[in-house]
Amino acid sequence: MKIDDLRTYAFNQNLPLDVNIELTQKCNFKCPHCYCPEDKSYLSLESIKKIIDKCHKAGVLFINFTGGEAMLRKDFLTIYRYAKSLGFMVSIQSNLSYISDNLKSEFISFKPKNIAVTIYGSSDGEYLSFTGMKNGYTNVINNLNFLWENNISFSLKAALTKGTYQSILSGQYDQIASKYGKEITYDGVIFGRKDGDITSISQRLSPEEIVIFDRSDKDGTIFWNEKIHEICGQDGIKCGGGISSFSIDSVGYASICSLYISEKFEFLERDFNDVWRDLNLSHQRMQQNYKNSQCSNCNKKSICRWCSAYSVLEHGDPKKPVQFMCNLAEARVVGSGIR
């Protein structure tokens, strides 16, 4: 069975297949758009092993380790080995500024399923300006070369922000990707921090700037023209959170996704089936929030990313529209010339 088919089966059967584990909120970067709280927390090694064990017994197959910057943990190699020893397919989300020599050796022998790497600049100067880290670009490129040379799977992504836009628009990021035969996934949706601070949204581009980028090449223009031609109503949010996937945060609480901070459930000391029932119900409430929101009647919903998680991060209300997303959807329609 292909992985996509397996995920479809898990979704249809309400089976926990994917877990995202936030090992730490600590990071060596200080990016202005980051959603991690000011007060950083992290899971103990004992708690992480307990979480992994419970997921294993529940039949979870895919683990994604994230942060903060997960690979900065001195015990990350131990965590990685433990998850792999139980048969998990392990992915990692990283800024890739640091990989220890021991971890490199481990990756060569026991490869991760994928490492999702976020790019923050096309030079050391750009990295210093955006992340506050000297030699950040050099370190990342050296580590990308290591992954490439050793046939270790990785993907590339980048945030469209005020601090990165000009370099991205000029094609510098695409040149990095082309060196490795990759394409970068770009995302212009910046949201508030998980502690309620919304200063991060000052890094948002205008909807018009995002549309200019969307249509800066032929493929992007074709993609969005097709999406806009196919605009349709939706009965609910397309989301597997609490149905086939879930997240564990850096203090050991479960939620339907890492951004859904309005409903969290103690995971470490409770029976997995009880937590899974709560996550199912949380998913249902999230869908009900959508049905009770103004967004459910919007004729542009199928090209919009709104959900309760973003709404809570924006203004603490799980049903209130996020005006930025409304404006972006409208700008994408206007930019297409299709009405």
Side-chain angles (χ1 to χ4, degrees):
M1 182 181 289
K2 295 180 180 179
I3 289 178
D4 287 346
D5 294 335
L6 180 60
R7 287 202 162 101
T8 299
Y9 178 81
F11 181 86
N12 290 335
Q13 298 298 318
N14 187 29
L15 299 175
L17 186 68
D18 290 83
V19 64
N20 184 80
I21 303 178
E22 186 181 65
L23 299 181
T24 179
Q25 290 176 345
K26 295 183 178 181
C27 185
N28 54 343
F29 285 5
K30 298 187 182 299
C31 303
H33 73 308
C34 182
Y35 61 83
C36 285
E38 185 68 23
D39 294 329
K40 309 299 184 185
S41 57
Y42 64 94
L43 287 163
S44 68
L45 179 59
E46 179 184 4
S47 294
I48 293 166
K49 286 185 173 182
K50 190 171 183 177
I51 288 168
I52 292 173
D53 285 340
K54 292 185 77 167
C55 291
H56 180 248
K57 291 177 182 178
V60 174
L61 180 59
F62 301 100
I63 284 183
N64 180 54
F65 290 130
T66 185
E69 178 47 49
M71 288 195 288
L72 286 178
R73 288 186 63 126
K74 294 180 179 179
D75 56 5
F76 183 79
L77 176 57
T78 301
I79 295 166
Y80 181 79
R81 282 178 173 168
Y82 190 71
K84 292 287 282 186
S85 73
L86 292 175
F88 286 101
M89 298 183 72
V90 179
S91 296
I92 303 162
Q93 188 169 317
S94 175
N95 62 38
L96 211 70
S97 61
Y98 176 77
I99 311 176
S100 70
D101 289 341
N102 287 338
L103 190 54
K104 285 181 178 180
S105 296
E106 187 75 10
F107 283 167
I108 291 171
S109 300
F110 302 98
K111 291 179 171 57
K113 179 178 179 291
N114 186 65
I115 301 179
V117 182
T118 306
I119 302 295
Y120 293 108
S122 59
S123 68
D124 280 331
E126 289 180 7
Y127 260 79
L128 179 61
S129 176
F130 194 79
T131 73
M133 183 178 181
K134 294 180 179 179
N135 302 318
Y137 176 76
T138 297
N139 293 343
V140 170
I141 292 300
N142 287 340
N143 287 327
L144 283 175
N145 289 340
F146 160 76
L147 298 180
W148 177 253
E149 291 162 3
N150 290 280
N151 197 31
I152 297 168
S153 176
F154 66 93
S155 56
L156 299 174
K157 58 183 181 176
L160 285 165
T161 71
K162 288 182 178 178
T164 61
Y165 185 63
Q166 289 304 318
S167 183
I168 289 174
L169 194 61
S170 69
Q172 297 299 312
Y173 284 41
D174 287 335
Q175 288 182 26
I176 295 170
S178 66
K179 176 182 176 182
Y180 306 104
K182 303 282 186 180
E183 292 185 358
I184 298 184
T185 301
Y186 296 99
D187 191 353
V189 177
I190 309 299
F191 33 82
R193 285 196 330 216
K194 292 200 276 187
D195 59 5
D197 189 308
I198 60 170
T199 55
S200 54
I201 69 174
S202 65
Q203 276 292 313
R204 279 179 184 161
L205 296 171
S206 70
E208 292 72 24
E209 287 173 314
I210 294 173
V211 171
I212 288 171
F213 175 77
D214 285 346
R215 298 179 170 276
S216 61
D217 61 36
K218 182 179 178 180
D219 289 342
T221 300
I222 292 172
F223 175 85
W224 281 107
N225 283 350
E226 289 178 350
K227 285 290 185 183
I228 291 162
H229 269 298
E230 296 168 1
I231 282 178
C232 61
Q234 291 181 190
D235 293 331
I237 302 293
K238 295 179 180 179
C239 174
I243 300 297
S244 59
S245 64
F246 63 107
S247 291
I248 307 291
D249 69 13
S250 59
V251 292
Y253 275 69
S255 59
I256 63 174
C257 85
S258 61
L259 297 179
Y260 201 69
I261 61 172
S262 54
E263 293 191 14
K264 295 184 177 183
F265 309 98
E266 206 284 326
F267 185 79
L268 287 165
E269 303 303 327
R270 298 179 63 211
D271 180 77
F272 183 91
N273 290 331
D274 291 340
V275 178
W276 192 241
R277 181 196 63 238
D278 286 341
L279 291 172
N280 287 171
L281 294 172
S282 183
H283 176 96
Q284 293 173 27
R285 285 189 290 271
M286 179 270 291
Q287 296 288 4
Q288 195 61 45
N289 285 336
Y290 165 72
K291 293 175 183 178
N292 293 335
S293 73
Q294 298 175 36
C295 296
S296 65
N297 297 317
C298 177
N299 62 2
K300 302 179 187 68
K301 182 62 193 73
S302 63
I303 62 165
C304 177
R305 288 261 301 281
W306 181 89
C307 76
S308 287
Y310 290 134
S311 190
V312 170
L313 291 171
E314 185 88 2
H315 36 52
D317 186 337
K319 302 183 185 70
K320 187 175 180 180
V322 176
Q323 191 60 48
F324 167 77
M325 292 185 177
C326 301
N327 296 343
L328 179 57
E330 175 64 19
R332 280 175 166 154
V333 172
V334 172
S336 72
I338 300 169
R339 282 290 182 178

